[in-house]
Amino acid sequence: MKNFFYITSLILFIFFTILLITLSTTGYETTRFNKIISQKINSKNKNISLKLLKIKFKLDIKKVSLFLETENPILNYQNLNVPIKNIKVYVDFISLIKAKPKIDKINISSKEINIDLLKKIFLKTKPSNLNSLVTNKIINGKLIANIELYFDNNLNIKNFITKGKVKDMQANMNSEFILKKKSFNFFSDNTDTLITNIKSKTDGFTINNGDIKVEKKKNIIVQSSLSTNVNINKKNINNYKKYFKNIKYINKQTNLKANLTHNLKISFDNTYKVTDYIYKSIGNVDNIELKLNQPIKSTFLKNNINNISFKESDL
């Protein structure tokens, strides 16, 4: 009798071990829930059409949760095919058995999305300042995103987390000022938006490392820190003259080399009116050369001052 219980327990242990390994690695392939889940998602948004191909039933060991995963699903948004790498649908197991799936969370991982497709998607959404920025200012770029959507019992979104990376972006801020080779990582949820590892390059100005944080509380707080290399000279000074228009000594003969760190904090009220701000800049100025439009005359000096220069200075 003891041997019978021992052998039975061993068989059950081996069975559940194999089942656990299978579900956490390759998964169990099924087509039973394809139509049910597609209809459930499509019914909540008429602009979205989702067609699931092969679905695998898998186990997320870290989160101790069961989910359905599909590779290369066909996602269509207002007649635009969006390149999706995979979709994970976290469901209540009992609801699946009853063929009335209760979706707790959906994780969507995109393939690389070109800026041209992204512009078309933004044009089909409600107008906003972000839409205008993307469609009018950004020339090139690629986006990879991961979106987590959390649902209530009625399949309404109660929370979200978005994260990903933008690379090879080129933004035309105005006719003279073009940001090239711009890249950054991003994270956003209901309360915060964080952009990190900002890198960009334009003629005379390079961002080596930067971050922007937006806190969406009672008031909106934007904080940013940027490390920059500045190399402005007579070849590119015209791109920046409008930013120095209140400094009378800046002209076409100005040369500036510096490594600077900028810190900015801006507070807005709920109408987006600026209520407070702090800006600080520190760093090393390797060289500043100013050729004056008009010489400075002094009773204490024999000759007029025509040029001013600083070298190896702290700012």
Side-chain angles (χ1 to χ4, degrees), residues 187-205:
F187 171 92
S188 183
D189 59 15
N190 280 347
T191 59
D192 297 303
T193 297
L194 182 62
I195 300 174
T196 61
N197 297 324
I198 299 173
K199 296 180 181 179
S200 184
K201 186 176 182 180
T202 190
D203 189 9
F205 192 83

Side-chain angles (χ1 to χ4, degrees), residues 101-112:
K102 176 182 176 294
I103 299 175
D104 295 323
K105 182 180 77 168
I106 294 179
N107 185 298
I108 303 172
S109 297
S110 77
K111 296 179 182 178
E112 197 170 77

Side-chain angles (χ1 to χ4, degrees), residues 213-215 217-223 264-277:
K213 183 179 180 181
V214 181
E215 297 180 25
K217 299 179 180 178
K218 184 178 180 181
N219 295 325
I220 299 172
I221 299 174
V222 178
Q223 298 184 75
L264 176 66
K265 182 178 180 181
I266 309 176
S267 299
F268 301 86
D269 62 16
N270 54 13
T271 65
Y272 297 100
K273 178 183 177 181
V274 175
T275 58
D276 192 18
Y277 75 92

Side-chain angles (χ1 to χ4, degrees), residues 150-170:
Y150 296 84
F151 299 91
D152 60 19
N153 292 333
N154 296 319
L155 207 62
N156 297 313
I157 297 175
K158 63 179 182 180
N159 196 6
F160 73 92
I161 295 176
T162 304
K163 53 188 174 182
K165 183 175 183 178
V166 172
K167 63 179 184 179
D168 300 330
M169 191 181 88
Q170 182 173 327

Side-chain angles (χ1 to χ4, degrees), residues 28-40:
Y28 171 73
E29 190 171 303
T30 177
T31 58
R32 180 181 176 184
F33 307 107
N34 294 35
K35 187 175 180 180
I36 297 172
I37 293 176
S38 294
Q39 289 177 343
K40 191 85 171 176

Side-chain angles (χ1 to χ4, degrees), residues 256-268:
L256 169 62
K257 285 186 178 182
N259 298 303
L260 304 174
T261 299
H262 313 270
N263 293 284
L264 176 66
K265 182 178 180 181
I266 309 176
S267 299
F268 301 86

